[in-house]
Amino acid sequence: MEKLELLAPAGNLEKLKVAALYGADAVYCGGFSFGLREGADNFSYQDLKDGAEFLHERGKQLYVTVNMIPHNEDLKGLPEYLHQLEEIGVDALIISDPGVLKIIRDEDIDLSLHLSTQANAVNYASVAFWHDLGMERIILARELSKDEIKEIRKKTDVSLEMFIHGAMCISYSGRCLLSNYFVNRDANRGQCAHSCRWKYHLVEEERPGEYYPVFEDKNGTHIMNSKDLCLIEHIPEVINTGVDSLKIEGRMKGMHYVSCVVSTYRKAIDSYYEDPENYEFKQKWLDDLRKVSHRGYTKGFFLHPPTEEDQNYESSAYKRTYDFMGVVRGFDSENNEALIEVRHKFFKGDVIEILKHDGEIKTETVDYIINEEGKEVADAPHPKEIIRVPVEGEYQKLEVVRREVRK
Ligand code: SF4
């Protein structure tokens, strides 16, 4: 049985490497323009080149998003940009707008094309339409059930991709004007302010300043605040839909998210392919996914249309039980010390977890901390400082360190 692809997001070059090292088969990212995530660091020309090289050396793929819904002014510079992506040799462009497709054809750009979820393909006719126009892959809308995906699969040969994890929109993915309306930031041009997560009141026009609560419960209402998608409990059903690629959402997310989510799905997918008949879901996988910040988990539309259980009415804040502490920059095998770049304050005595690239998660106790000046210290508060801590295991560069949030 040929394994399907695990596709991970990357907001910058380092996260791209992390995604690949933790087991992604392919990575998608925004280039230096025309993607849909203005808030992500995004990639320079050189970053994209280095990223493509890093992935290709490992037999992996790089897809670049050009999926904004551009207005006239946004098209300036697009042909040049597309030629640069072609020169770099990215493996596919993710697009959604027919105008962008026309420019790609007019410019004779020889790159594989994937239809973005932003185009909201929810039926087999729409999939066939885009396939006929030359799309080599269709990224299905998130608003589809397992049975709908299976039916689409039966009726087309084109490569199909579906989302398995990450944030959901309350509208059809991305096609939403809430953010434009409230703060003049266009979600379809990469500037979404996530207005659907906000807490809403009712105001009568003659009584400005008088906010009438709209009660879901004592916390008010977050009527449009969807929980995050998580299909880790349904890997066999997901694989048996017949899709070719499983996508993790989150180009704005941090290194802990990328490492943990990629690694967890990698383990589940590999475990299924090793022995499909005797595959067993492991509760530990879900427990691990709960350690990255999230808004509660939902199965989206996969099993049935969402209900009130799939909304987070309490708060739009993330649930965060673990802190991203740092990233391994080196290993001193003589002294058994890991060199860790600090991202969150370390304390002597901390119990940390190090996520290894092969999926193992090791627990270590920080018995001492040596700072950059070679002095032993009780804590390490400075982000970016490289500290030495004693470890029992052996670690590699770009392995991620986390710790339970201190009470
Ligand atoms: S405001 Fe919410 S529903 Fe609208 S595009 Fe942004 S995340 Fe999606």
Side-chain angles (χ1 to χ4, degrees), residues 168-171 174-179 187 192-197:
M168 298 284 281
C169 274
I170 203 70
S171 61
R175 295 238 161 187
C176 162
L177 292 174
L178 277 178
S179 172
C192 178
H194 303 287
S195 312
C196 59
R197 316 277 176 209

Side-chain angles (χ1 to χ4, degrees), residues 39-283:
D41 298 345
N42 287 330
F43 287 63
S44 65
Y45 177 85
Q46 192 56 45
D47 286 346
L48 275 185
K49 214 164 175 274
D50 294 347
E53 211 176 286
F54 185 87
L55 292 172
H56 292 161
E57 276 167 6
R58 290 161 178 78
K60 298 172 191 269
Q61 317 272 302
L62 176 63
Y63 309 143
V64 176
T65 54
V66 191
N67 60 342
M68 64 149 55
I69 300 189
H71 287 237
N72 294 337
E73 57 178 304
D74 300 318
L75 295 177
K76 283 182 208 138
L78 181 60
E80 295 77 12
Y81 177 63
L82 294 169
H83 285 294
Q84 285 176 312
L85 295 178
E86 193 181 26
E87 206 177 282
I88 289 168
V90 305
D91 298 284
L93 303 179
I94 302 174
I95 66 168
S96 61
D97 181 67
V100 171
L101 176 60
K102 174 163 173 41
I103 291 171
I104 288 172
R105 296 294 183 235
D106 290 350
E107 293 292 322
D108 220 5
I109 302 293
D110 185 20
L111 286 174
S112 178
L113 301 177
H114 294 182
L115 182 75
S116 169
T117 192
Q118 184 86 357
N120 307 130
V122 290
N123 62 65
Y124 57 82
S126 164
V127 167
F129 170 84
W130 287 107
H131 188 203
D132 287 350
L133 284 179
M135 298 292 153
E136 288 181 27
R137 177 178 290 175
I138 307 298
I139 303 166
L140 295 170
R142 275 173 267 218
E143 297 79 16
L144 286 175
S145 69
K146 174 174 66 174
D147 293 339
E148 286 175 304
I149 297 172
K150 279 183 172 172
E151 192 180 350
I152 292 173
R153 171 74 293 163
K154 270 193 205 142
K155 294 185 170 163
T156 179
D157 293 334
V158 70
S159 174
L160 296 175
E161 180 179 309
M162 67 175 275
F163 281 86
I164 48 166
H165 195 95
M168 298 284 281
C169 274
I170 203 70
S171 61
Y172 274 103
S173 297
R175 295 238 161 187
C176 162
L177 292 174
L178 277 178
S179 172
N180 305 51
Y181 181 72
F182 285 118
V183 287
N184 201 21
R185 284 172 50 180
D186 190 344
N188 298 303
R189 290 151 102 185
Q191 302 153 4
C192 178
H194 303 287
S195 312
C196 59
R197 316 277 176 209
W198 298 350
K199 182 173 179 176
Y200 289 91
H201 287 84
L202 187 66
V203 179
E204 199 276 327
E205 67 176 11
E206 301 290 323
R207 294 173 173 75
E210 287 185 29
Y211 298 106
Y212 295 92
V214 187
F215 280 116
E216 293 285 347
D217 60 21
K218 64 181 175 12
N219 300 307
T221 183
H222 293 81
I223 38 179
M224 294 177 280
N225 183 28
S226 170
K227 290 181 182 173
D228 294 337
L229 179 67
C230 174
L231 293 180
I232 192 72
E233 291 165 90
H234 300 279
I235 289 301
E237 294 124 287
V238 164
I239 292 176
N240 288 321
T241 58
V243 298
D244 303 276
S245 176
L246 303 182
K247 182 175 222 157
I248 295 165
E249 182 276 347
R251 279 192 281 142
M252 307 275 287
K253 296 286 171 62
M255 224 187 266
H256 177 210
Y257 173 93
V258 174
S259 58
C260 178
V261 177
V262 170
S263 170
T264 306
Y265 280 95
R266 179 78 278 156
K267 284 183 258 191
I269 292 167
D270 289 351
S271 160
Y272 177 79
Y273 280 103
E274 259 160 41
D275 188 358
E277 300 292 308
N278 297 307
Y279 170 86
E280 270 179 36
F281 163 72
K282 295 194 176 59
Q283 181 59 36

